[in-house]
Amino acid sequence: MEQGRLSTRVRVVEPGAEDGPVVLEAGAVLRAGGLVAFPTETVYGLGASALDEQAVAGIFKAKGRPADNPLIVHIDSFASLGQYFPLITERVRLLAAHFWPGPLTLVLKGGDRFPAVVSGGLGTVAVRVPAHPVALALIRAAGVPVAAPSANVSGGPSPTTAAHVLDDLDGRIDLVLDGGPAGLGVESTVLALSGALPVILRPGGVTPRQLEAVLGPVKLDPAVNGASGDAKPRSPGMKYTHYAPRVPVVLFDGDNRAGIVKRILAEAENMVARGQRVGILTCRDNELMYQGRGYAVIATGWRDDPGSIAAALYESLRCFDRRSVDAILAEGVPAKGLGLAVMNRLLRAAGGNVIKI
Ligand code: TXA
Ligand code: MG
């Protein structure tokens, strides 16, 4: 039995029209407690007023998100930060000056004005200033900070287009602002600042090297390079899988490019022998090696250009769901620069199904 089904509206926001009536109306929807999906420079977000406990609860419901997974609060500028966080350290000032607006989320203490539902009662609140004209105009039009996770069903790949948002959330939210494809294709970097050394909780659009150039040494949370953010034994395809299509993913990881292709081809033949349909996620450099064998082959970008891979990653994973394959055999990429974020998402999508070459 379906309850409370909404009729989700989609409104296109043309470049240059961010301050027009469409975004103004979307701001009013947020102020009134509604849910609005919108583009950012990373992925599409699902927004609600961060000051409205019930509206934020609605995000968790629409996504099927566990209540203990906190949200990111989006504000329109560093100048607004002081309204919500009384103590702004020099480190925060420095990071904001370098990376805001942009794909860096800071986990801060003292966000007591936000209801506990925003942060899962953690006592810290994650905040960022997005670098997308529609996102910024929406926050201003709403006149309140906007809590927004990625606008996908919990556990699945994040949306990088308005169509992806509708695939996941049609009928569950009020409005989608369509501002074209999100640029980066992977989410913001999440940085915790409570200890002596800053800790990257989730790699993303700002790389460790960029952070270190500003801050000095930063640590990577141990969960970043693992399949699970939890110490419990992994359970492939189960609770700790994220960013994952419905089809199981097997990740082939290592430095030996030829070795990876060989291993994937061998595994693909095994699948065919078992009567299974093979999906292969590769890069443009290797694409030809898999052609002509009846596999569903999707190439993201170039192996040495992680930005091109990031931009196509989620769309590619979603594509396999439409192509009825039994498993996706995915090539790992070098975990450098944006590649660290790509590998983190692939590891989580594979939920521990990793073959080291
Ligand atoms: O690029 C992005 O960050 C996108 C766009 C929409 O801004 N948002 C996004 O949100 O990816 P979401 O909810 O999918 O991911 C938020 C991440 C989660 O891993 C969450 O656990 C972490 O940030 N997070 C949020 N608040 C936190 C907190 N107080 N402490 C630690 N981690 C937190
Ligand atoms: Mg997400």
Side-chain angles (χ1 to χ4, degrees), residues 36-38 43-47 63 148-154 157-159 161 164-166 168-169 173 318:
V36 177
F38 60 97
V43 300
Y44 271 69
L46 175 60
K63 282 182 58 102
S150 49
N152 51 282
V153 166
S154 187
S158 297
T161 65
H164 294 165
V165 176
L166 278 185
D168 278 20
L169 299 176
I173 64 179
R318 282 171 178 266

Side-chain angles (χ1 to χ4, degrees), residues 89-92 94-95 99 104-108 189-202 206-222 224:
T89 62
E90 199 41 46
R91 223 159 40 172
V92 170
L94 202 62
L95 286 166
F99 300 110
L104 178 65
T105 294
L106 302 177
V107 176
L108 303 178
T189 300
V190 179
L191 189 69
L193 291 168
S194 43
L197 273 191
V199 182
I200 294 176
L201 301 180
R202 177 181 73 180
V206 173
T207 65
R209 185 181 287 190
Q210 287 175 301
L211 289 173
E212 289 192 329
V214 171
L215 284 181
V218 300
K219 276 200 330 192
L220 263 192
D221 189 86
V224 165

